[in-house]
């Protein structure tokens, strides 16, 4: 669940973007920042710490990201530090991506299979999900041998569980209940 503050900052970051900064540039910059924070527990804790001074955080953000991301995105990060909202950084970035997907009519899906799926099968699944949802689908593929066979598909908030593991669980429940 995204906080109201994170949603407001995400909306502002998207809508205040100047014409000379493409949406693709902004999204790529935010992916880079998110990846940097996720890759370093120390950096994550640095942003969350109330003990570290605002000036120190400001200097660190400039040192880490200046020249790597657009001036607009850097300015947005520095504004978060200035407003003492850097603790919401990752949440704000996620909210930007969520808002972007909503505006573009994109729905996220996660397909879990017991084995790695060939590309041809991935394409067919993505096409089928687009037909079912009526939206563009952003797919993520995960391998989980515990499902034994079949697929578990999460499309937005809906889960379709066609795994052998789930079928065995249902069969077991029917035997136990006697129906």
């Amino acid at each position: 669940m995204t906080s109201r503050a994170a949603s407001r900052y995400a909306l502002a970051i998207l809508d205040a973007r100047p014409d000379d900064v493409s949406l693709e540039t902004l999204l790529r910059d935010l992916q880079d920042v998110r990846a940097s924070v996720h890759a370093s527990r120390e950096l994550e804790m640095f942003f969350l710490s109330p003990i570290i001074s605002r000036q120190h955080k400001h200097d660190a953000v400039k040192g880490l990201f200046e020249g790597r991301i657009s001036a607009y995105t850097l300015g947005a990060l520095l504004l978060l530090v200035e407003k003492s909202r850097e603790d919401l950084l990752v949440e704000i970035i996620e909210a930007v991506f969520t808002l972007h997907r909503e505006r573009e009519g994109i729905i996220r899906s996660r397909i879990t299979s017991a084995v790695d799926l060939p590309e041809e099968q991935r394409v067919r699944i993505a096409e089928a999900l687009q037909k079912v949802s009526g939206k563009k689908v952003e797919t993520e593929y995960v391998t989980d041998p515990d499902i034994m066979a079949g697929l578990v598909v999460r499309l937005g908030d809906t889960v379709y569980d066609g795994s052998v593991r789930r079928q065995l669980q249902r069969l077991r429940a029917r035997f136990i209940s006697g129906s």
Side-chain angles (χ1 to χ4, degrees):
M1 185 74 180
T2 304
S3 70
R4 291 174 77 185
S7 294
R8 284 194 305 267
Y9 277 99
L11 183 63
I13 288 169
L14 274 175
D15 290 348
R17 180 180 49 85
D19 293 337
D20 66 330
V21 177
S22 71
L23 180 61
E24 292 76 24
T25 297
L26 174 63
L27 296 175
R28 187 177 51 248
D29 287 350
L30 293 176
Q31 281 179 320
D32 184 19
V33 172
R34 179 177 59 186
S36 296
V37 173
H38 284 316
S40 170
R41 179 79 175 137
E42 292 82 16
L43 184 57
E44 185 177 353
M45 297 311 294
F46 176 81
F47 282 123
L48 293 174
S49 175
I51 297 170
I52 299 171
S53 74
R54 197 176 295 160
Q55 184 61 49
H56 189 65
K57 288 181 180 183
H58 179 277
D59 295 344
V61 167
K62 278 189 88 167
L64 284 169
F65 297 110
E66 194 169 40
R68 278 180 52 191
I69 60 177
S70 69
Y72 173 73
T73 308
L74 180 62
L77 295 180
L78 294 174
L79 179 67
L80 293 176
V81 171
E82 181 182 318
K83 299 291 184 183
S84 298
R85 292 300 198 172
E86 68 280 355
D87 60 325
L88 297 175
L89 178 63
V90 173
E91 187 179 353
I92 291 167
I93 291 171
E94 293 300 333
V96 167
F97 285 110
T98 299
L99 184 57
H100 165 68
R101 282 191 297 275
E102 286 172 5
R103 289 180 175 181
E104 295 295 316
I106 299 170
I107 190 168
R108 295 178 86 181
S109 70
R110 182 181 181 134
I111 295 92
T112 305
S113 59
V115 296
D116 195 28
L117 299 173
E119 187 60 32
E120 178 184 306
Q121 200 170 11
R122 289 178 179 212
V123 169
R124 284 197 324 258
I125 291 169
E127 289 171 352
L129 292 175
Q130 286 180 1
K131 278 185 185 176
V132 166
S133 67
K135 297 182 176 190
K136 296 178 209 169
V137 177
E138 188 179 277
T139 56
E140 173 189 6
Y141 293 91
V142 178
T143 304
D144 180 2
D146 289 341
I147 71 167
M148 298 178 194
L151 296 175
V152 177
V153 178
R154 177 179 291 276
L155 183 61
D157 293 332
T158 306
V159 176
Y160 304 95
D161 192 339
S163 66
V164 169
R165 176 180 61 192
R166 178 70 179 136
Q167 291 173 19
L168 290 172
Q169 287 171 343
R170 285 183 184 155
L171 188 59
R172 181 173 183 248
R174 285 179 62 197
F175 279 137
I176 290 172
S177 69
S179 54

